[in-house]
Amino acid sequence: MPHIDIKCFPRDLTDEQKTALAADITDVIVRHLNSKDRSVSIALNQVQEADWKQVWDSEIAPQLETLIKKPGYSM
């Protein structure tokens, strides 16, 4: 509360980079949603570019009207 689920093309991130990414995202969530650090969970799921349409079809397109940041592309 909240849980952030990041999907992206594969990146070669070190554990240190993942930790820094999680810390930065957590700071933003704590600041903007008045959450506690211990309440935030973050998943990083790397999706092959060839499989991105599945993400679009199942998660992005059905929620397009309610997204607070819409993508600048369509599929």
Side-chain angles (χ1 to χ4, degrees):
M1 346 105 77
H3 174 71
I4 296 91
D5 186 5
I6 301 168
K7 291 183 176 58
C8 63
F9 292 161
R11 303 284 191 266
D12 190 21
L13 299 175
T14 65
D15 287 343
E16 183 177 272
Q17 290 170 314
K18 291 175 187 176
T19 298
L21 175 62
D24 288 349
I25 292 168
T26 299
D27 288 345
V28 169
I29 294 300
V30 166
R31 184 171 67 246
H32 288 278
L33 297 182
N34 197 26
S35 296
K36 292 183 174 29
D37 180 89
R38 63 184 170 82
S39 299
V40 178
S41 58
I42 302 171
L44 180 62
N45 297 295
Q46 299 191 31
V47 178
Q48 294 298 320
E49 187 172 353
D51 297 327
W52 191 257
K53 186 158 179 5
Q54 294 173 358
V55 174
W56 175 270
D57 289 344
S58 66
E59 297 186 39
I60 299 171
Q63 300 181 57
L64 205 51
E65 294 305 314
T66 60
L67 294 176
I68 61 172
K69 166 68 171 81
K70 294 175 182 22
Y73 66 92
S74 60
M75 297 191 91

